[in-house]
Amino acid sequence: MGTIFVAVTGQRDNIGDSLLRRPMLAATDPTSTRHVLVGDGAEDYASNLGLVDSDVLYTDRRAWLIALAKSAFSRRTHLMLNAGEATLNARYVGDRLVLLPIFILLRVRGGRVIQTGVGLRRTDSRWTRPARPLLRLTALLTWRDGVSRNSARIGQVQPDWAFREGAPTEVLANRRASRDERTVILSLRGDRPEPDADWLEAVRDALSAVKATPIIVCQVRRDEARSRWLANRLGAEYVHWAEETTHLEQEAILRARYSRATWVVSDRLHVLIAALTEGAAILPWAPDRGAKLARTLEPAGLSYRLKRPNVDDLQVLAAEDLSALDRARGALSGVVAKIRALTGNPATGRPLTVLHSIAAPGSETRYATHMQGTAGEGVEVRFFSWQAALLGGYDVFHLHWPEHLVGVSDGPRARLRYLLLRLLFLRLRLRRTPVVRTLHNLVPHDDKTNPRVREVTRRFEALTEVEIHLVDEAGERDAAQTFYIPHGSYVEVFGAHPHADPVLGRLIHFGLLKKYKGVEALLAAFDELDEPNLQLRIVGKPIDGDTARTAKAAADRDKRITVELAFVPDAQLVEEISSSELVVLPYKELHSSGAVLVALSVGRPVLVPSGPTSRALREEVGDAWVHLFQPPLSPSDLSDALDGIRRRPEGQRPDLSARTWESVRTAHRRVYLAAMNRRG
């Protein structure tokens, strides 16, 4: 693993500065030890940079440079200089001359100097010529606009790093298609002249003509006065930046607003980019002093020609900007690949191999399908067999349900599995293989009845370097670093299968049928509903005979109940769920459930037990999609949920944009590298 020093200093009151530098920092190889310079008094700003526990943080530039010099003497070290605006002047040249001995030492040791995403404030400086030889010392130099590149006459052009943030473009397209209200986000700089009365009147007229609602936002604290002024002039809602609101919290507030906006108007570059990456279309109504907006948006394939506000602009939704965003993100992925190729450890150029403790997925979708989707970006995925676990080559062991490794039987086969597990523990310890554990349940379901499950779980906990929580919750263990990675959706994989129209009054329960899942309670509650038009489908493979017999007896007794007690293929499962009006999961308790995500991915609301997990999910996707009950399930819970979903507006879908396979893959890669880093 290498060492990399990164400068990410920025304006403390400007969310745009973290939007620019967070993806740049994320482009570095997380297996490296990162020494990150954030600057003095930047604690709030630094909280929004995506730092991890293994990062070494510096607020003093001198201390950072001393540490850089010492590292360059002793080991292969890389240096990544800051992105953002720069001025080629006497101070810039002097600063580079001071760093010149370190640059030379880095190169002697095999290190690299990298600077990406730079834009020149002035392109006519007389210091440009003497700065060029110093710029040539970088192994990779990219500019965020062509004008800066042409002035420097060295390097390449890349889109601004902030285009890499936000929701996937397919999610953005769905957001635009499903909006039933029109809103315009407006944000103006506070250090420029006030817009004239004609501009304000033109804005009012255009908004009124198409019944669009203006919302004024503050993304830079020093713009507060101008933002309030604009909100008063337009009679608009104002999303201010409260004194107690952190940098991280304000970005989340604004992104939530941007995700529901139709258009965005601003002379702040990163307001435009942030809103675009959440689904808003850019309107070129704000003055572009120095053509900064136009020249920085151009590498992303976006044009910005200043116009007076008019109705025609508002009536056009530029679908081509989503295609441009896709291309920009592809270009940035190429820059990331170059950075990691330059700074990676040449001795470990092969992919990082992860062995999962679960069987490989078959032709139908399971949780293992998600884990298979984490392959790529330098990660190779393998699935469990005893031969692979004991004799195969892998860098990380990813533990899922530990009780599955123990098994449920208690004969010779169980004793053999236990012996093999002891050999596995020995191998993991001797080879110092880091263990990553996904906490699917707070306590394994067989923990209370099987002492071997308890013992195996404790042994794995002792070896665990990183723990993945599918639910954002308190009570993290001190024995391992903890990451929150939400359970991925199934929108991508189930979107390929035909969806049926829901049948009025049809309920469904699906998945593996186990006692703790409350099938008996569902059947009892449904039996008390004396409504002939209701139907109940039970679909899934029974794990115990009692549950199967109970379901069959209920179906024989009540013709409204039908069962299919078997594992069904994806296409049939999608048809079963989509043809139902409500998915009922009457678990006794809910920690993390793939079935909930399957239902929501197919676009059907769920009824689940109330608890921290389900309440957080309802907050995320909307109360129209997640209905809660207090166990035990009652007949009124079923009828109330049906009444609630029938009041839901047509055409909406749950927002699962935080759970795309791309985001799950990227998050898991970072976890694996963090585990390798912790184990050393």
Side-chain angles (χ1 to χ4, degrees):
M1 290 175 285
T3 301
I4 184 165
F5 282 70
V6 189
V8 289
T9 53
Q11 297 171 345
R12 313 293 187 268
D13 67 341
N14 188 346
I15 289 174
D17 275 27
S18 58
L19 299 185
L20 167 65
R21 293 171 176 88
R22 185 171 62 219
M24 184 198 82
L25 181 61
T28 61
D29 189 342
T31 58
S32 301
T33 300
R34 303 191 304 192
H35 294 253
V36 184
L37 175 64
V38 297
D40 185 41
E43 290 80 5
D44 185 26
Y45 161 77
S47 70
N48 204 25
L49 291 174
L51 299 168
V52 298
D53 292 345
S54 57
D55 291 332
V56 184
L57 205 61
Y58 297 80
T59 57
D60 180 70
R61 186 173 186 269
R62 184 171 178 271
W64 181 74
L65 288 174
I66 292 173
L68 171 61
K70 290 180 178 179
S71 181
F73 267 108
S74 60
R75 64 181 65 86
R76 183 172 184 255
T77 303
H78 309 290
L79 172 62
M80 176 173 276
L81 298 167
N82 213 348
E85 289 188 302
T87 302
L88 300 183
N89 53 19
R91 181 178 178 181
Y92 180 92
V93 172
D95 184 66
R96 286 297 177 97
L97 288 173
V98 169
L99 290 174
L100 184 58
I102 296 178
F103 284 10
I104 294 172
L105 186 58
L106 291 172
R107 295 190 65 173
V108 169
R109 283 280 188 178
R112 299 286 190 271
V113 179
I114 293 170
Q115 187 161 29
T116 57
V118 188
L120 294 178
R121 285 194 180 92
R122 291 181 53 194
T123 57
D124 57 351
S125 171
R126 62 188 180 90
W127 288 96
T128 301
R129 184 185 295 272
R132 283 186 190 128
L134 299 171
L135 292 171
R136 293 185 188 281
L137 294 173
T138 55
L140 177 63
L141 175 64
T142 66
W143 306 90
R144 66 180 186 182
D145 65 87
V147 176
S148 296
R149 161 63 181 82
N150 293 338
S151 175
R153 298 182 187 175
I154 181 176
Q156 305 163 2
V157 178
Q158 69 160 74
D160 188 277
W161 276 114
F163 285 109
R164 197 164 165 81
E165 300 278 288
T169 49
E170 61 269 18
V171 173
L172 303 183
N174 289 336
R175 285 180 182 173
R176 289 187 175 185
S178 62
R179 286 190 181 118
D180 52 8
E181 295 182 356
R182 296 177 174 184
T183 58
V184 179
I185 294 289
L186 294 106
S187 176
L188 294 180
R189 301 176 67 108
D191 56 356
R192 302 281 168 83
E194 294 177 356
D196 58 34
D198 290 343
W199 184 86
L200 287 170
E201 190 61 30
V203 169
R204 292 191 192 98
D205 290 345
L207 295 175
S208 176
V210 292
K211 297 181 175 59
T213 304
I215 299 176
I216 315 303
V217 303
C218 181
Q219 192 168 290
V220 181
R221 280 194 189 273
R222 77 188 88 111
D223 294 341
E224 182 83 18
R226 175 59 48 79
S227 300
R228 290 189 183 278
W229 174 88
L230 184 60
N232 289 334
R233 292 297 185 277
L234 295 178
E237 177 189 354
Y238 174 43
V239 182
H240 73 297
W241 190 341
E243 190 64 35
E244 67 277 6
T245 302
T246 67
H247 208 281
L248 180 65
E249 291 168 343
Q250 183 68 3
E251 182 185 345
I253 291 169
L254 293 178
R255 283 195 178 276
R257 289 289 183 158
Y258 298 159
S259 69
R260 300 191 296 272
T262 318
W263 301 280
V264 58
V265 175
S266 182
D267 53 2
R268 287 279 185 192
L269 172 68
H270 287 105
V271 172
L272 296 177
I273 295 177
L276 172 67
T277 60
E278 294 296 343
I282 295 175
L283 291 176
W285 290 0
D288 185 15
R289 185 177 179 181
K292 173 183 173 180
L293 303 179
R295 73 182 196 178
T296 311
L297 293 174
E298 190 274 334
L302 298 164
S303 61
Y304 191 95
R305 297 184 181 87
L306 181 64
K307 299 178 182 179
R308 299 298 285 182
N310 62 77
V311 175
D312 291 338
D313 288 336
L314 279 167
Q315 290 176 329
V316 174
L317 275 177
E320 61 269 17
D321 60 8
L322 295 186
S323 298
L325 179 58
D326 246 350
R327 292 192 297 272
R329 287 171 168 173
L332 289 169
S333 294
V335 177
V336 172
K338 290 178 183 177
I339 291 171
R340 294 186 177 175
L342 288 168
T343 61
N345 189 338
T348 58
R350 62 175 177 79
L352 186 151
T353 303
V354 179
L355 178 66
H356 290 268
S357 71
I358 51 180
S363 58
E364 307 305 332
T365 300
R366 300 173 184 265
Y367 184 78
T369 312
H370 267 307
M371 296 300 95
Q372 191 174 54
T374 61
E377 297 186 11
V379 174
E380 179 182 337
V381 169
R382 296 178 184 174
F383 290 96
F384 191 84
S385 70
W386 285 112
Q387 180 177 348
L390 297 176
L391 302 175
Y394 52 92
D395 303 297
V396 176
F397 185 80
H398 190 151
L399 175 69
H400 299 278
W401 299 270
E403 62 269 30
H404 291 183
L405 293 176
V406 178
V408 295
S409 64
D410 196 24
R413 186 184 295 263
R415 288 192 289 273
L416 176 61
R417 291 167 72 97
Y418 185 63
L419 175 61
L420 294 174
L421 274 170
R422 293 173 69 91
L423 293 175
L424 175 59
F425 290 136
L426 181 62
R427 175 196 162 126
L428 294 175
R429 283 198 302 271
L430 291 178
R431 301 196 63 168
R432 293 180 52 78
T433 303
V435 173
V436 170
R437 182 187 179 192
T438 293
L439 199 70
H440 293 274
N441 309 100
L442 291 175
V443 178
H445 294 304
D446 298 320
D447 183 74
K448 297 178 181 179
T449 59
N450 192 330
R452 283 182 178 168
V453 171
R454 292 198 298 272
E455 180 189 350
V456 167
T457 301
R458 284 196 299 268
R459 288 196 174 200
F460 272 120
E461 285 177 349
L463 295 170
T464 298
E465 293 291 346
V466 177
E467 194 170 76
I468 296 173
H469 284 217
L470 300 174
V471 176
D472 192 8
E473 60 197 343
E476 300 170 357
R477 294 195 301 106
D478 295 332
Q481 186 178 0
T482 303
F483 284 78
Y484 165 53
I485 304 179
H487 192 307
S489 78
Y490 294 89
V491 172
E492 291 92 335
V493 64
F494 285 154
H497 299 292
H499 287 47
D501 293 328
V503 176
L504 193 67
R506 179 177 293 178
L507 315 178
I508 187 172
H509 173 81
F510 67 91
L512 293 177
L513 304 183
K514 298 182 178 182
K515 282 187 176 296
Y516 77 89
K517 293 191 174 183
V519 178
E520 294 86 350
L522 171 58
L523 293 169
F526 184 82
D527 185 56
E528 292 187 39
L529 288 175
D530 188 20
E531 296 182 33
N533 293 328
L534 290 183
Q535 302 175 35
L536 174 61
R537 283 283 287 164
I538 306 292
V539 178
K541 181 180 179 180
I543 299 303
D544 61 87
D546 290 344
T547 303
R549 284 188 290 272
T550 301
K552 286 180 179 178
D556 292 339
R557 185 176 60 253
D558 188 340
K559 299 306 179 185
R560 299 176 302 165
I561 301 174
T562 55
V563 300
E564 179 149 357
L565 303 181
F567 184 86
V568 299
D570 285 358
Q572 182 180 343
L573 182 62
V574 171
E575 183 180 5
E576 294 273 11
I577 296 172
S578 59
S579 64
S580 301
E581 198 176 5
L582 174 67
V583 175
V584 185
L585 302 173
Y587 305 158
K588 296 175 182 177
E589 60 181 23
L590 177 71
H591 177 253
S592 173
S593 169
V596 173
L597 272 301
V598 169
L600 295 174
S601 299
V602 178
R604 291 297 176 262
V606 296
L607 175 62
V608 292
S610 180
T613 300
S614 51
R615 289 194 293 270
L617 183 62
R618 183 176 62 173
E619 185 76 17
E620 176 186 347
V621 304
D623 55 11
W625 296 99
V626 178
H627 299 263
L628 307 178
F629 70 92
Q630 291 293 341
L633 183 71
S634 69
S636 61
D637 293 325
L638 298 175
S639 55
D640 290 347
L642 283 172
D643 289 342
I645 64 175
R646 289 167 184 170
R647 294 194 295 269
R648 187 181 73 247
E650 292 292 331
Q652 292 187 358
R653 290 187 63 86
D655 184 0
L656 298 171
S657 57
R659 299 170 179 267
T660 64
W661 284 32
E662 179 183 358
S663 62
V664 169
R665 176 173 59 250
T666 302
H668 275 81
R669 181 183 189 277
R670 193 164 189 84
V671 164
Y672 298 143
L673 295 172
M676 295 284 289
N677 207 20
R678 283 174 61 89
R679 181 51 61 96

